[in-house]
Amino acid sequence: MRGAMLYGPRDVRFEDVEQPKIVEPTDAIIRMAATCVCGSDLWPYRGLQPMNGPTPMGHEYCGIIEEVGSGVRSVKPGQFVIGSFATSDNTCPNCRYGYQSSCVHREFMTRAQAPVLRVPLADGTLVPTPGVPPEDLVPSLLTTSDVLGTGWFAADAANVKPGATVVVVGDGAVGLLGVLSAKQMGAERIIAMSRHEKRQSLARDFGATDIVSERGDDGVRRILDMTKGIGADSVLECVGTQESMMQAIQATRKGGHVSYVGVPHGVELNGEELFFSHVHLHGGPAPVRRYLPNLIDLVWTGKINPGKVFDLKLPLDQVAEGYRAMDERRAIKALLWP
Ligand SMILES: [Zn+2]
Ligand SMILES: [Zn+2]
């Protein structure tokens, strides 16, 4: 079988890799229905994250179970399943508190940009859909594996409530689906910060009421202007840079909530600034597993269509073009058909 390997900056190759097989009795092997490139894959792709030699890529997946280990009880071959980018037993205290992405047995998934995938801790990680979906539902279901789950966590961690004023910093797939999530949670005003026309229009499609194209201090000033100088109730930071984090904190009202779900790269917070900001901060790797049953249901029943973030669909063997298009911001998110 062939899968995507990252050799170094801007060097993705689709090449022979080992065929996955059951290693632990708690494993499942799934035949991928679709996979994709993640915004977080761009950090190592751009050489902004250290690597130890050639690295197998991909952590967003859904598909049909081909085989399960002898210890797997809750899922079985033939089922269409979705799992998070972080595996979880779903039984340890962290999982029971709803933080499955910090499961004591967590592994971060990789090797998903391939036609077949081994998923550890299958019982706790995988959630079956009500049946095998029609092909046109697959892109939206795939988003639940990470970007929708992460956008949903961003909205939840920022305490989005009915009637709230929400700001979303970041117009990648996660930010756009943070807009969709805030809309689902009843936000009244959703301000998307984006300077990219195609992304602005998708943000409006997902429920954004306002667009702010300024960023940094200018962006903060615009948000304060729009909120009578007070700031927003909930701000979702979906980028992971120093500028976006400070923009999020400064655009939040006193007592408001900031969530941060962009993997931080070089972010440092000043204690004194944090002290006087008077905001709640909550974020981290999204516990996607907590939300999967609800998100699958919303997609399955046609209430949301998050698959619209995939504006590029390629055969899996053209995975390198998927990375290039996202790196050059020609595409929001690239779906890969095995
Ligand atoms: Zn991802
Ligand atoms: Zn656990």
Side-chain angles (χ1 to χ4, degrees):
M1 139 179 134
R2 290 191 300 159
M5 297 284 285
L6 180 65
Y7 274 76
R10 296 185 168 78
D11 184 6
V12 173
R13 303 181 200 172
F14 192 64
E15 61 174 26
D16 284 331
V17 294
E18 211 182 312
Q19 184 81 20
K21 53 180 194 308
I22 300 285
V23 179
E24 301 290 337
T26 46
D27 289 349
I29 301 293
I30 71 173
R31 168 77 48 185
M32 215 71 80
T35 180
C36 53
V37 182
C38 183
S40 66
D41 294 334
L42 295 181
W43 292 106
Y45 181 78
R46 289 170 173 160
L48 299 173
Q49 193 168 295
M51 289 173 48
N52 286 322
T55 304
M57 298 298 287
H59 58 257
E60 303 181 27
Y61 57 95
C62 62
I64 291 182
I65 297 183
E66 285 199 327
E67 191 187 350
V68 294
S70 58
V72 174
R73 296 282 171 269
S74 66
V75 289
K76 54 179 191 288
Q79 281 183 318
F80 190 98
V81 290
I82 306 170
S84 162
F85 59 86
T87 66
S88 52
D89 56 21
N90 217 19
T91 54
C92 78
N94 290 349
C95 284
R96 279 184 281 133
Y97 281 117
Y99 286 82
Q100 290 92 338
S101 45
S102 280
C103 175
V104 298
H105 295 119
R106 173 192 68 195
E107 288 176 43
F108 283 115
M109 290 299 294
T110 178
R111 303 176 193 277
Q113 287 159 5
V116 182
L117 178 68
R118 178 177 81 94
V119 182
L121 300 174
D123 278 333
T125 301
L126 296 173
V127 178
T129 56
V132 175
E135 196 176 281
D136 61 352
L137 214 53
V138 169
S140 283
L141 288 170
L142 178 60
T143 66
T144 66
S145 174
D146 181 359
V147 280
L148 176 59
T150 298
W152 196 273
F153 174 59
D156 195 14
N159 196 42
V160 173
K161 293 279 183 270
T165 294
V166 177
V167 170
V168 179
V169 181
D171 62 3
V174 169
L176 292 166
L177 293 174
V179 169
L180 179 150
S181 303
K183 173 78 180 167
Q184 287 290 311
M185 293 176 193
E188 185 175 303
R189 193 170 191 197
I190 303 172
I191 305 166
M193 304 194 82
S194 170
R195 46 178 56 182
H196 188 286
E197 210 173 306
K198 194 164 75 173
R199 294 165 191 244
Q200 292 172 351
S201 88
L202 193 51
R204 285 200 187 275
D205 226 43
F206 284 151
T209 53
D210 302 82
I211 304 286
V212 165
S213 56
E214 290 87 347
R215 57 171 69 165
D217 291 343
D218 294 338
V220 172
R221 258 192 301 278
R222 276 293 307 281
I223 300 298
L224 292 177
D225 283 348
M226 295 166 83
T227 54
K228 302 191 170 84
I230 296 301
D233 302 309
S234 302
V235 181
L236 287 56
E237 193 287 301
C238 307
V239 183
T241 63
Q242 181 72 22
E243 184 187 65
S244 61
M245 190 68 175
M246 292 320 296
Q247 197 175 311
I249 291 171
Q250 290 165 2
T252 307
R253 70 165 167 81
K254 304 305 169 197
H257 291 71
V258 177
S259 65
Y260 53 104
V261 298
V263 183
H265 284 74
V267 177
E268 286 185 17
L269 299 181
N270 174 291
E272 198 179 332
E273 249 178 273
L274 199 56
F275 185 79
F276 285 104
S277 74
H278 237 157
V279 300
H280 299 75
L281 275 182
H282 184 31
V288 171
R289 176 65 184 80
R290 189 202 315 173
Y291 305 115
L292 269 177
N294 178 38
L295 297 179
I296 289 172
D297 183 62
L298 289 173
V299 169
W300 198 264
T301 53
K303 293 191 182 77
I304 56 173
N305 187 5
K308 283 194 255 180
V309 292
F310 291 112
D311 55 348
L312 179 64
K313 294 176 183 164
L314 297 168
L316 180 56
D317 61 4
Q318 289 175 39
V319 55
E321 168 56 16
Y323 278 81
R324 263 196 306 277
M326 285 175 63
D327 178 40
E328 294 163 10
R329 284 176 78 86
R330 281 185 281 120
I332 300 170
K333 193 166 176 69
L335 181 131
L336 304 163
W337 296 115

